[in-house]
Amino acid sequence: MGKPSDPQDATRMLRLLSGRTHQVHTGICLVRAPDSIEALKHETTLVTFRELDEEEIRQYVESGEPSDKAGAYAIQGLASKFVTRISGCYSNVVGLPVALVYEILKKAESRRQ
């Protein structure tokens, strides 16, 4: 899912996520020359939502938070109350798998030494 195009699209997305587990994927590509850092990696995190009722969805959409968020929710914001389970990297869901990026850079640094 991308970002919702309007409040109706955000409502549609949240209905799809309600009561289900979905996957959040992030791809990482780092390239540096001449010392060479190259990495094509990805991170996948599973996120489970509890069942949402129409009033909860309406109030959340009216908050404006979903408007610029992939999947129409911000796990670090008001939508945190919808999440019952997460399996994997939390920062991946927020936007960038920090631990993965750190691991890539750490390995690159150790190769330079």
Side-chain angles (χ1 to χ4, degrees):
M1 295 182 173
K3 296 178 182 181
S5 58
D6 56 33
Q8 293 75 26
D9 195 30
T11 299
R12 177 191 65 80
M13 289 180 183
L14 292 164
R15 284 179 182 146
L16 288 172
L17 296 172
S18 177
R20 296 189 174 142
T21 299
H22 63 280
Q23 298 177 350
V24 176
H25 302 280
T26 302
I28 302 292
C29 176
L30 300 173
V31 178
R32 181 179 167 208
D35 296 330
S36 186
I37 295 175
E38 59 178 271
L40 296 171
K41 302 279 185 180
H42 73 281
E43 187 75 52
T44 299
T45 305
L46 300 176
V47 180
T48 303
F49 270 38
R50 65 175 177 74
E51 289 283 340
L52 307 178
D53 64 41
E54 289 299 313
E55 181 65 12
E56 289 175 307
I57 293 172
R58 184 190 63 73
Q59 288 178 352
Y60 184 60
V61 171
E62 285 180 357
S63 79
E65 189 173 84
S67 66
D68 64 345
K69 307 294 186 288
Y73 75 96
I75 194 170
Q76 75 280 17
L78 298 172
S80 62
K81 63 188 171 205
F82 302 151
V83 178
T84 60
R85 183 178 181 99
I86 180 170
S87 178
C89 178
Y90 173 81
S91 67
N92 183 46
V93 183
V94 174
L96 180 71
V98 176
L100 178 60
V101 173
Y102 174 75
E103 177 185 314
I104 293 166
L105 295 175
K106 187 176 175 183
K107 284 181 182 176
E109 180 64 25
S110 69
R111 287 183 196 147
R112 290 182 52 197
Q113 296 175 355

